[in-house]
Amino acid sequence: DIKKYSFFIAPVLLIGILIVVLNLTSQKSQLPSTSEPTISFGSVSGNPGSSVDLPITFTAGTTGVTALQFDLTLPADLTYASISTGSAASAAGKATQANMIDKSLRVIISGLNQTAISSGHIAVVKLNIASNASAGTLNLALSGIVASSPEAAAVNTSWSKGEIKVQ
């Protein structure tokens, strides 16, 4: 008996698969759009031989971030002095640590909790401008960005460059 109806089975299966695929496609297009979190710096100015406070800002994305690590490459005319935790990181129960590794400042923002960091200032880095620095713009760049979700999953994170203007 099954042989009588076998020529119907293939088209029915094909139509069923098409319905499932079209349904999944329409559901996918209805999902909310996702946005990546972003780390950005301010643009600050200072004179040769002075110190500047460089604010580092975090813009939260769709996925929460509970810990961050990144390397801030410092031009030759800048040296690291200190770092302080920003208000958005403090509000999430995070602390900030930093150490020089070669010519980069490795910054780690973390805490012993799973609280996501909200948008706002996450750190302020105090940098010294060399006394013999020429007037102009010193560009800053980030690399090695690692961000973690509350579930300890990696979170893609973008950044925007900053600069220090030597007057």
Side-chain angles (χ1 to χ4, degrees):
D1 278 336
I2 199 155
K3 288 183 182 180
K4 267 198 306 190
Y5 301 106
S6 63
F7 67 94
F8 286 116
I9 294 174
V12 169
L13 283 176
L14 182 61
I15 291 171
I17 291 170
L18 283 174
I19 290 171
V20 169
V21 168
L22 290 173
N23 189 27
L24 289 175
T25 304
S26 71
Q27 286 178 356
K28 188 175 183 180
S29 66
Q30 293 171 1
L31 293 175
S33 63
T34 59
S35 63
E36 267 186 355
T38 304
I39 301 169
S40 56
F41 315 78
S43 177
V44 296
S45 300
N47 295 315
S50 69
S51 295
V52 293
D53 289 333
L54 179 69
I56 301 177
T57 303
F58 179 75
T59 304
T62 306
T63 302
V65 171
T66 59
L68 287 164
Q69 174 183 306
F70 53 87
D71 296 335
L72 172 60
T73 304
L74 298 180
D77 286 336
L78 294 176
T79 56
Y80 168 66
S82 64
I83 192 164
S84 59
T85 304
S87 59
S90 291
K94 311 302 179 193
T96 305
Q97 301 86 32
N99 288 301
M100 287 299 297
I101 299 176
D102 293 322
K103 295 180 182 189
S104 293
L105 179 66
R106 173 147 304 155
V107 176
I108 300 173
I109 301 169
S110 62
L112 297 176
N113 62 42
Q114 293 178 316
T115 306
I117 302 168
S118 298
S119 296
H121 291 287
I122 54 173
V124 177
V125 179
K126 184 177 284 295
L127 300 168
N128 297 322
I129 301 172
S131 58
N132 61 347
S134 301
T137 301
L138 303 174
N139 292 312
L140 304 169
L142 281 184
S143 62
I145 300 172
V146 178
S148 177
S149 74
E151 295 80 27
V155 178
N156 289 333
T157 304
S158 59
W159 64 278
S160 60
K161 71 178 187 172
E163 62 186 20
I164 295 179
K165 295 179 183 175
V166 180
Q167 300 173 333

